[in-house]
Amino acid sequence: MASKKTNDRKVIITCAVTGSVHTPTMSPHLPLTPDQIASDAIAAAEAGASILHLHARDPKDGRPSADPEVFMQFLPRIKQSTDAVINISTGGSSLMTVEDRLAASLRAKPEMSSFNMGSMNFALFPALDKQTEWKHDWEPKLLEATRSSIFQNTFADMEHTLSALGEGCGTRFEFECYDVGHLYSLAHLRDRGLVTGHIFVQFVFGVLGGIGADPENLTHMKRIADKLFGDDYSFSVLAAGRHQMPMITMAAAMGGNVRVGLEDSLYDGRGTLAKSNADQVRRIRAVLEALSLEIATPGEARELLGLKGGDRVAF
């Protein structure tokens, strides 16, 4: 499936189950505990998601966690209950060290991990204006800290991840590109032979510090990716908040894949909180089927992306 084809391929639905952006005060439906993350992930897979993008949270208070032991409380259960591809975040939280962010993937050796394509401002502090009271003291502190921090992903960091996780563990990557320059950085790594095989690019829109969630930016990102990677890549789109469904629908119509999940948006339609990740999966699945597009199975996603298979992970 090359990125330029539109009507003769199946669409991969990725579901990002919890992330590290939203906090418990923002929605009572955000999965926080290992049991909640596992249950929500399994339901999302049953609804049609072929890739599950996973973060962990501290079971005590819901703050983002990099602890591999927390991941191991839900990864085996998800693997035993569904055939979906498990994609472990190496982004973690923008406030974590690179070493912390890699720890779970190096322990679990998943089929796929996310890979952030450059250092950037990753600003969450505007969310402070939307709440006056918080369930936990850590929530406003974490959001405010993003005003003065940088999400670090240097070339040295990227080279290390490709070596330790890619070569060392057989893990392939979802390359998260928050701006056009990230595509050129990815092409640089490809040209050096550090990135090989079919490339899976996630265009990320609507994060303050990255490219805006404008239709013109999606067409531009795709045009540059086509120029750099030709037919040897596939793209997917995620968009933050209210931009989620319009942008990913446009992506699907342009030949792309889609990502939903409570990491990216807490809503299922205007003004209605999603009660589960599966709600968003069902919504985009209905849109895709109305566009006469077929949904990729986990097996079809594995074949396209050249994954090693669920029997070769360490959980």
Side-chain angles (χ1 to χ4, degrees):
M1 181 180 77
S3 68
K4 294 180 181 180
K5 298 178 183 178
T6 55
N7 295 317
D8 57 350
R9 88 288 189 262
K10 296 184 179 181
V11 180
I12 296 172
I13 300 175
T14 296
C15 183
V17 174
T18 186
S20 61
V21 172
H22 296 120
T23 70
T25 298
M26 298 176 185
S27 173
H29 308 298
L30 186 67
L32 303 174
T33 68
D35 182 66
Q36 291 170 343
I37 291 170
S39 296
D40 243 44
I42 293 165
E46 292 173 345
S50 56
I51 299 177
L52 300 171
H53 175 71
L54 300 172
H55 291 240
R57 291 179 178 265
D58 188 321
K60 297 188 297 293
D61 61 10
R63 74 178 68 205
S65 173
D67 187 352
E69 296 302 323
V70 179
F71 278 88
M72 286 300 180
Q73 292 179 45
F74 57 78
L75 291 177
R77 178 179 165 190
I78 297 170
K79 182 175 182 289
Q80 291 163 8
S81 301
T82 174
D83 187 42
V85 174
I86 292 178
N87 172 347
I88 298 178
S89 171
T90 66
S93 164
S94 63
L95 304 178
M96 296 175 182
T97 67
V98 175
E99 292 75 15
D100 285 342
R101 287 158 40 196
L102 280 172
S105 287
L106 291 174
R107 166 78 177 276
K109 299 178 173 59
E111 294 183 78
M112 175 173 277
S113 283
S114 62
F115 187 109
N116 298 276
M117 280 309 307
S119 300
M120 59 179 290
N121 294 328
F122 198 108
L124 306 178
F125 64 85
L128 290 166
D129 298 333
K130 300 177 182 179
Q131 299 284 160
T132 56
E133 297 182 2
W134 301 88
K135 292 182 179 179
H136 305 286
D137 290 342
W138 68 262
E139 297 178 72
K141 292 178 181 178
L142 180 146
L143 297 172
E144 177 58 36
T146 66
R147 192 189 301 269
S148 57
S149 64
I150 294 173
F151 185 27
Q152 178 183 319
N153 299 285
T154 66
F155 275 102
D157 297 331
M158 292 188 281
E159 291 164 354
H160 172 65
T161 299
L162 290 168
S163 174
L165 185 55
E167 294 181 24
C169 300
T171 298
R172 292 193 60 79
F173 297 103
E174 167 220 324
F175 295 100
E176 298 197 343
C177 294
Y178 295 78
D179 219 327
V180 177
H182 290 177
L183 294 172
Y184 285 92
S185 295
L186 178 56
H188 167 80
L189 295 174
R190 188 274 317 272
D191 292 345
R192 290 172 55 194
L194 300 178
V195 171
T196 60
H198 191 81
I199 298 172
F200 189 50
V201 182
Q202 188 79 249
F203 300 157
V204 184
F205 298 99
V207 173
L208 182 59
I211 198 167
D214 302 300
E216 296 87 349
N217 286 336
L218 172 51
T219 57
H220 182 52
M221 289 281 279
K222 182 180 182 299
R223 181 167 56 247
I224 297 301
D226 285 347
K227 171 186 173 181
L228 294 173
F229 307 116
D231 286 343
D232 199 23
Y233 88 104
S234 299
F235 77 95
S236 177
V237 167
L238 75 88
R242 62 186 175 85
H243 304 291
Q244 182 190 66
M245 289 295 170
M247 291 293 286
I248 65 176
T249 299
M250 180 178 172
M254 293 172 62
N257 302 285
V258 300
R259 178 171 129 171
V260 294
L262 298 187
E263 173 174 351
D264 304 335
S265 172
L266 295 174
Y267 290 86
D268 181 28
R270 185 185 296 270
T272 302
L273 287 172
K275 294 181 179 178
S276 71
N277 282 276
D279 286 351
Q280 292 186 357
V281 175
R282 283 188 286 266
R283 177 176 285 264
I284 191 57
R285 181 168 188 163
V287 171
L288 296 174
E289 291 174 344
L291 294 173
S292 298
L293 296 170
E294 294 186 67
I295 311 303
T297 66
E300 289 165 339
R302 285 185 174 93
E303 181 179 2
L304 168 66
L305 302 176
L307 306 183
K308 63 182 180 179
D311 58 335
R312 297 179 60 192
V313 300
F315 57 91

